[in-house]
Amino acid sequence: MQGLCITVWVAVWVILGSVPGAVILGALRLSERRVFRLASMLFIEFIRAPSALVLLFWVFYALPLVPGMPRLSPLTAAILVLALDGAAYGAEMVRAGIQAVHVGQTDACHALGLSKLQSFTKVILPQALSQIVPNFGSLARSMVKWTAIVSFVGVQDLLYIGNNIRGQTFDAVTVFCLLATLYWILTVLCGVAFRVLEQVLPLNRALRAARMPSQAAPEADVQGGAQ
């Protein structure tokens, strides 16, 4: 039970931690200033290029050897690395979602005298979420599975506990089948949570409300014709 709780704890913080990074990096990828676009692109490629496990080893083992750098705890290092990795992948989803919003929305914001920040936070991003959240849900399910690497730096998650049990019982088949089942359950629950989140987004609610009169109209015509 302890290993399951730690895995869930790490997964939740990794997902939550990756969201602001993904939004910031995705917005910078579309910045009008070339230096911001280039800096964000280089940062994304720097994070995505190496294996997450190699990056975790570097942050946990190598970073403290750099003068002035702190030694992070295993849990902190794991959450930091996986959140950065998730932000780097999520940034492209955010960029694509923002680009999916019609350019007329930006023009309307300018006509209303809204600043760029107000336009982004109050108009563009809320509409882009209907495109971003479904894709980010798939990424979040992957991030749940990424948490398995935290056991390599001593975090006592599901895989760490499972390996200990396997070493004591020598029953690898049962242990790893159980681990696979638990990770499957966690990813399914994560997917359900994001599907619920999709349904409560303002734009999706508005679209469903707009469809209701159009669906009711044919029914009324049929009833009128029958009379």
Side-chain angles (χ1 to χ4, degrees):
M1 182 60 71
Q2 178 186 0
L4 178 60
C5 291
I6 291 178
T7 294
V8 172
W9 175 263
V10 172
V12 168
W13 278 107
V14 166
I15 293 171
L16 293 178
S18 66
V19 170
V23 172
I24 293 172
L25 290 172
L28 289 177
R29 290 282 284 114
L30 298 173
S31 174
E32 296 177 354
R33 298 186 179 182
R34 184 178 180 182
V35 62
F36 289 159
R37 294 198 307 271
L38 182 60
S40 60
M41 183 184 68
L42 291 176
F43 181 82
I44 290 170
E45 293 303 321
F46 175 79
I47 296 297
R48 291 174 57 174
S51 162
L53 182 57
V54 172
L55 193 58
L56 176 59
F57 282 168
W58 191 90
V59 169
F60 186 68
Y61 293 111
L63 185 63
L65 302 179
V66 178
M69 291 293 103
R71 175 175 291 277
L72 302 177
S73 69
L75 191 59
T76 302
I79 292 175
L80 175 63
V81 168
L82 293 181
L84 286 174
D85 221 27
Y89 283 97
E92 294 303 316
M93 299 177 185
V94 172
R95 180 184 62 82
I98 293 173
Q99 288 181 320
V101 177
H102 195 277
V103 68
Q105 299 294 323
T106 303
D107 296 336
C109 292
H110 292 164
L112 292 172
L114 297 178
S115 66
K116 291 182 179 179
L117 181 60
Q118 289 175 323
S119 301
F120 179 75
T121 57
K122 295 183 178 181
V123 179
I124 305 302
L125 184 59
Q127 294 185 55
L129 286 176
S130 62
Q131 301 290 330
I132 296 170
V133 171
N135 294 326
F136 203 88
S138 299
L139 176 61
R141 296 180 68 166
S142 296
M143 284 191 276
V144 172
K145 292 180 283 187
W146 292 353
T147 61
I149 71 171
V150 304
S151 62
F152 287 93
V153 291
V155 178
Q156 298 183 8
D157 69 327
L158 275 177
L159 184 59
Y160 185 96
I161 300 298
N163 267 326
N164 284 345
I165 296 174
R166 178 193 58 80
Q168 296 170 5
T169 62
F170 301 101
D171 188 359
V173 174
T174 302
V175 169
F176 287 117
C177 283
L178 180 59
L179 285 177
T181 302
L182 289 173
Y183 277 109
W184 179 81
I185 292 173
L186 291 177
T187 56
V188 168
L189 291 176
C190 181
V192 170
F194 271 86
R195 280 195 290 273
V196 172
L197 181 60
E198 289 177 43
Q199 299 303 313
V200 301
L201 289 175
L203 182 58
N204 287 344
R205 291 206 310 268
L207 291 174
R208 288 197 302 273
R211 293 191 193 104
M212 291 176 64
S214 62
Q215 293 174 353
E219 295 178 2
D221 293 340
V222 171
Q223 291 176 359
Q227 294 175 357

